[in-house]
Structures are given as structure tokens and as C-alpha cells.
Amino acid sequence: MIPSMVAIKRTLSSIPVTVLAFAAASGLLSANGIRFTDFFRLDATLLVNPASYTINMLFHAGGWSHYTGNMWLWVPFGVALTWLTSNRHVLGLAVTVNALTVVVAIWFEGVGLGLSHVVLGVAAATLVRATGIAFQNASTQGLQLVVTALLLPTLGGLFLVLALAGSRWVADLYHLLGFLFGWAIEALYVFAAHDTGSESGGATHSIPDRLGPG
């Protein structure tokens, strides 16, 4: 491939389409005051309503301030994970983290709204992916030890917040689950890539070409 085409390909692959699409869709809903309850009833039907496990994350119950608060973390972590993986990976992770979190937490107090739990899942995944790249030459056991060592204090902090949450404990439960699912899903990818790289004599989860020398 000629150098100019390589540069174009790198540039296009670096555009965080998933991150921008989520931000735009959520922002449009928040800016126009469109709420989840404008379309769906908050009753027992939520348990079997597909929207509760998918597009619920695009609606922000706290309005514009809730939305902007999420964007302060969604954009940097989402862009970072896109650069380290791909748009498809970020999309799959976000959708999966949201669905798994809702499956567990909806039984406690209805559907979770907003990107907060997804943002924490993406943040956790970014940390795991970056750790995998930083320790790509370590043994599998060594990598697992480092990833676990980074998880425990963060998870402990989230448990402490949950314990002290009082009446808002359900919201913090969503945050805890989102972080945990994001961490676990990305760890599966990183460990699998590390094992494959070890067997073939080289790491398969090194820094993407678009982040390397031009």
C-alpha cells in the first residue's frame, strides 16, 4: 500500500465514530428534554422490554447536567480505547456492559438510565488494555497478577462508595457492575491475545499501527 493510502487509513481508523455517535445521540435527547418515560412505562414491562437493555443508556434522567457529567469521562476514555482497539470493539463493549449491568441490577430498582455505568466499564477496559500493552512481554501469570493488583483497590473503593451510598445505593450498584463487567470483558480479550502471542513467539496486542511512527 502506498504511503499516502496508509496515512489515510490510519487517520480514518483513528476517528472515534462510536464515541461521537453515542455523544451526539445522548446530547440530542438531553438538549430536547426527551426522557425514557416519554416512550416507555416504568412498570413490570421493563423486565421484558428490549429498550431497557439497549437504548436506556442514551437517556439521561438528570437532564443536561447528567449528560455533560458523563461526557467528561466518556469522551477521553472512549477515544483512548478506540485508539487502542477499534470502533467496533468499543461499540461491542459498551452494548455488552450495558446489557449485563441491567440484567443484574434491574431486579433491584428498575432500569438504569444514562451512560454512567457504561463510562466506568469503558474506563476499566481502557486501563486493562493499556496494562496489557505495557506488560506484553511479561508472562501470562505476571500479566494476570498486575491486572488483578490494579483491580482490587479500585473495586474496593467502589464497594466503599456503595456501602456509604444510603438511598442512592442502586445508582452506585450500576456503577460498580459497569466497572466490573468492563474490566472482566476486556481482561478476556487481553489474556487471550497474550496467550496467543506467547504461543506464536510474539505479542498480538501491541500498540496499534495508527499510534506508531507515521
Side-chain angles (χ1 to χ4, degrees):
M1 187 179 295
I2 59 177
S4 60
M5 291 300 295
V6 172
I8 293 174
K9 182 179 179 180
R10 286 185 180 179
T11 300
L12 291 177
S13 64
S14 298
I15 299 175
V17 176
T18 297
V19 174
L20 295 176
F22 274 50
S26 294
L28 184 63
L29 292 171
S30 295
N32 288 279
I34 301 175
R35 297 177 178 270
F36 188 79
T37 51
D38 291 335
F39 300 97
F40 309 102
R41 294 176 299 173
L42 297 180
D43 54 23
T45 61
L46 288 175
L47 294 174
V48 295
N49 187 344
S52 300
Y53 308 88
T54 53
I55 62 173
N56 62 298
M57 59 183 165
L58 300 178
F59 293 87
H60 289 79
W64 188 252
S65 61
H66 186 193
Y67 164 75
T68 54
N70 281 333
M71 290 303 105
W72 281 110
L73 293 177
W74 169 250
V75 172
F77 280 113
V79 169
L81 189 60
T82 300
W83 286 350
L84 294 176
T85 57
S86 66
N87 279 293
R88 182 181 299 177
H89 184 86
V90 174
L91 175 60
L93 180 79
V95 171
T96 305
V97 165
N98 179 62
L100 291 176
T101 300
V102 175
V103 164
V104 176
I106 195 173
W107 297 95
F108 294 97
E109 192 179 283
V111 61
L113 301 177
L115 275 173
S116 301
H117 55 289
V118 177
V119 169
L120 287 172
V122 169
T126 303
L127 182 56
V128 172
R129 177 65 61 163
T131 301
I133 292 174
F135 290 87
Q136 59 185 298
N137 295 321
S139 65
T140 299
Q141 293 76 11
L143 177 60
Q144 291 173 345
L145 180 62
V146 172
V147 169
T148 303
L150 289 173
L151 169 64
L152 292 179
T154 309
L155 199 58
L158 289 173
F159 268 116
L160 179 61
V161 170
L162 179 60
L164 300 175
S167 61
R168 56 159 288 132
W169 72 273
V170 174
D172 289 315
L173 175 63
Y174 266 91
H175 296 162
L176 173 64
L177 291 173
F179 185 89
L180 191 58
F181 282 130
W183 191 284
I185 293 169
E186 196 64 28
L188 292 176
Y189 279 101
V190 169
F191 293 155
H194 189 275
D195 288 341
T196 302
S198 299
E199 294 173 1
S200 61
T204 61
H205 56 281
S206 56
I207 299 175
D209 290 339
R210 60 176 171 269
L211 298 183

